[in-house]
Amino acid sequence: MAVEYLRLSLTDRCNLNCIYCTPLEKDGFLSHAELLRHEELTRAAAAFVRAGVKKIRLTGGEPLIKKNVLELVRMIRAIPGLQELALTTNGLLLGELAGGLREAGLDRVNISLDTLSPKTFREITGHDGLDKVRDGIMKSLSAGFSQVKLNVIIMKGINDAETADFARLSADYPLTVRYIEFFPTNKRSARLKDALVTTAETKKKIEDVLGPLEQLPAGPGDGPARIYKLAGAKGKIGFISGRSDYFCGACNRIRMDCTGKVYPCLFSPATHSLRDLLRAGADEAALADYIKKIFLVKSNYKKDSASAGHIEMSSIGG
Ligand code: SAM
């Protein structure tokens, strides 16, 4: 499958400290010298577009804490040939930034939120801030983005009692609520491996409370999600089943972290770095040639292959 989708991590820093994400063992963040600057990130992004990428998603860490993020969004959006620019955020700063992001050219936004209870929010993220995230969701809905999605990870004994509450949001608002299966990738998340709730369990819980889900045909922006709708709902429900389903054959994505490391596959220990080339002044064409070679090795890896690596979501952005 052609690689057309880049997830670009802007920073490893985050303003939350989620139980499954930032490693407990992590001793400090990357130094500023290691992080790519705006101009380098933009040049790398342009080279990916030249190599065939059509859609870029900005992620982190928390991408909205990147200094002058609106300027960076404007620079990346101006890349000729880029069809879509999206962002994944925890939503804490969206209330103040949603309008500016839309004006800067951001097309779509995904907001990660695992609970609607202030107490559970603090337990999962280590911070208060649910009201700010709710404000961010509302501001995003009125900012004119082509789509607003909520990403939820349901974990047994932590937030599974709220499964149907999230689905209900899709009835009341024009949002897509996407249930993403928990995916242990580092030591911190491995401690929660028994918290996995499969898509089948989540779907049953929703239908038991809110009635049958009608499956919809997948749209161009749905990626590996299977899309459903509750009768009469304003929005939709999606399921991303990275653990219980197998979608390597349909995977068209690649990831680059905030230091220029490129990850062809979450199940691959292999990384390649663009940073030295970028800092040696390589032009877009030379960078694109290097990127095309990485695209070629992507299909060597697949889910649960023995090559599966250890991944810090806080560096590569999910
Ligand atoms: N800070 C931004 C946010 O919260 O959306 C972007 C980065 S965050 C790492 C991106 C996504 O990865 C979030 O939706 C988060 O829930 C998800 N994530 C992190 N660790 C995960 C794990 N072990 N399994 C599944 N999803 C994970």
Side-chain angles (χ1 to χ4, degrees):
M1 183 137 201
V3 180
E4 297 187 336
Y5 172 23
L6 169 68
R7 294 181 69 98
L8 181 61
S9 173
L10 303 185
T11 175
D12 65 327
R13 291 165 168 75
C14 192
N15 44 3
L16 294 180
N17 184 23
C18 295
I19 45 174
Y20 48 75
C21 190
T22 316
L24 286 174
E25 302 77 13
K26 193 160 172 159
D27 43 19
F29 293 107
L30 296 166
S31 72
H32 275 289
E34 288 174 281
L35 300 180
L36 297 185
R37 295 184 293 270
H38 286 197
E39 177 274 326
E40 291 169 331
L41 284 164
T42 308
R43 200 147 42 93
F48 274 98
V49 172
R50 186 186 269 244
V53 161
K54 297 189 166 66
K55 170 179 159 189
I56 296 178
R57 173 172 300 283
L58 306 178
T59 177
E62 172 48 41
L64 295 185
I65 62 173
K66 181 84 177 165
K67 217 170 161 192
N68 298 328
V69 69
L70 295 182
E71 176 195 80
L72 182 57
V73 167
R74 222 169 274 122
M75 287 165 72
I76 294 178
R77 194 64 192 93
I79 294 170
L82 178 65
Q83 291 178 8
E84 190 174 62
L85 184 60
L87 172 100
T88 295
T89 171
N90 59 33
L92 273 182
L93 295 172
L94 256 188
E96 54 198 87
L97 288 174
L101 286 164
R102 181 66 198 114
E103 264 174 45
L106 189 77
D107 298 296
R108 303 207 274 145
V109 66
N110 286 9
I111 302 155
S112 306
L113 179 63
D114 299 329
T115 178
L116 303 169
S117 141
K119 179 170 169 280
T120 314
F121 189 90
R122 170 162 267 287
E123 283 161 10
I124 294 176
T125 69
H127 290 264
D128 294 318
L130 181 61
D131 286 346
K132 281 183 133 191
V133 179
R134 280 178 170 276
D135 178 46
I137 295 170
M138 292 306 148
K139 295 270 168 47
S140 300
L141 284 171
S142 57
F145 294 115
S146 62
Q147 288 194 48
V148 178
K149 297 180 183 171
L150 278 194
N151 288 344
V152 189
I153 300 176
I154 298 292
M155 292 163 282
K156 230 167 250 163
I158 297 175
N159 62 349
D160 51 341
E162 300 184 59
T163 305
D165 299 340
F166 275 99
R168 208 173 277 118
L169 289 178
S170 81
D172 299 338
Y173 298 98
L175 290 165
T176 302
V177 175
R178 304 194 315 167
Y179 295 89
I180 301 178
E181 277 180 349
F182 179 61
F183 178 11
T185 60
N186 62 9
K187 280 192 196 150
R188 194 173 199 188
S189 51
R191 281 171 211 152
L192 291 166
K193 67 181 185 322
D194 295 336
L196 170 71
V197 181
T198 63
T199 289
E201 292 169 307
T202 301
K203 189 162 173 274
K204 179 170 184 318
K205 237 180 201 165
I206 296 170
E207 292 191 311
D208 284 351
V209 179
L210 298 170
L213 286 166
E214 177 201 346
Q215 185 158 14
L216 304 177
D222 292 329
R226 303 243 159 93
I227 305 296
Y228 295 79
K229 196 176 194 301
L230 286 165
K234 291 188 178 152
K236 299 179 208 163
I237 289 175
F239 296 102
I240 301 186
S241 320
R243 298 312 291 164
S244 64
D245 199 2
Y246 183 90
F247 47 69
C248 301
C251 178
N252 66 349
R253 64 183 57 182
I254 197 141
R255 295 170 167 85
M256 188 176 94
D257 77 7
C258 48
T259 69
K261 267 193 202 151
V262 181
Y263 297 75
C265 166
L266 278 186
F267 296 98
S268 136
T271 56
H272 311 257
S273 180
L274 282 191
R275 190 172 60 190
D276 290 347
L277 278 174
L278 281 163
R279 297 208 161 154
D283 67 12
E284 213 179 285
L287 291 166
D289 281 346
Y290 183 76
I291 290 166
K292 282 184 198 157
K293 289 192 188 117
I294 304 175
F295 288 177
L296 291 177
V297 303
K298 180 171 163 61
S299 57
N300 293 349
Y301 304 103
K302 60 182 181 356
K303 184 178 171 186
D304 295 338
S305 66
S307 60
H310 164 100
I311 292 282
E312 295 302 350
M313 290 294 195
S314 55
S315 303
I316 62 159

